[in-house]
Amino acid sequence: TGLLLNGNMVIQFNDASQNIGATSNAILDINATDEIELNATAIDINGTCDVSGAFTTGSTIVSTGKITADAGIDIDNFNIDGTTIALSSGSLTIDVAADITLDADGGTILFHDGGTHFGEVGNSSSDFVIKSAVSDKDIIIKGNDGGSTITALTLDMSAAGAATFNNDVTAFS
């Protein structure tokens, strides 16, 4: 019916450090000093796979289930960890085929530059609020007029929001 080895016996290759054996009826050990190579068109693992060292692949990783990375994940120069997505260099482009939805249940989307909070947009009783967060700093609306950048409107926060328009103001009664 085959070769039966007891718990102390192993099949040994080259020297004692390269062997296959079973120290219990639940664990099969395959040991090598350097590398164990499996060559096949498909390798099917049924059960949990525990890798204690680095996992390197020369191909695409395909998962039909959720991937959990509790210590974070690094992709190129992105790091995703907990509630933070960080890009270590360059600019970020978000390019989608449809709309981009920002849904902040706290009601406010904050803008920071180098850690300094300078502005926000938010919801106050369903009113759309645009806020300059730095004391006495203005809200400036700019546009493109014939290829030149112009300041269309400045709301002066150091003067209680006094409005300065670059050109005519048209009002209808």
Side-chain angles (χ1 to χ4, degrees), residues 20-103:
I20 300 173
T23 55
S24 73
N25 64 354
I27 298 172
L28 176 67
D29 289 325
I30 302 174
N31 300 298
T33 54
D34 187 25
E35 181 178 314
I36 297 172
E37 188 173 308
L38 302 174
N39 294 297
T41 55
I43 298 171
D44 188 5
I45 300 173
N46 295 300
T48 301
C49 182
D50 183 5
V51 178
S52 62
F55 176 79
T56 303
T57 180
S59 185
T60 302
I61 297 174
V62 178
S63 173
T64 57
K66 182 174 88 170
I67 296 174
T68 302
D70 289 335
I73 185 168
D74 291 327
I75 304 168
D76 290 333
N77 57 342
F78 273 100
N79 174 269
I80 303 170
D81 194 2
T83 60
T84 302
I85 299 174
L87 177 63
S88 63
S89 65
S91 297
L92 171 65
T93 300
I94 299 174
D95 186 358
V96 299
D99 298 329
I100 295 174
T101 301
L102 300 176
D103 186 352

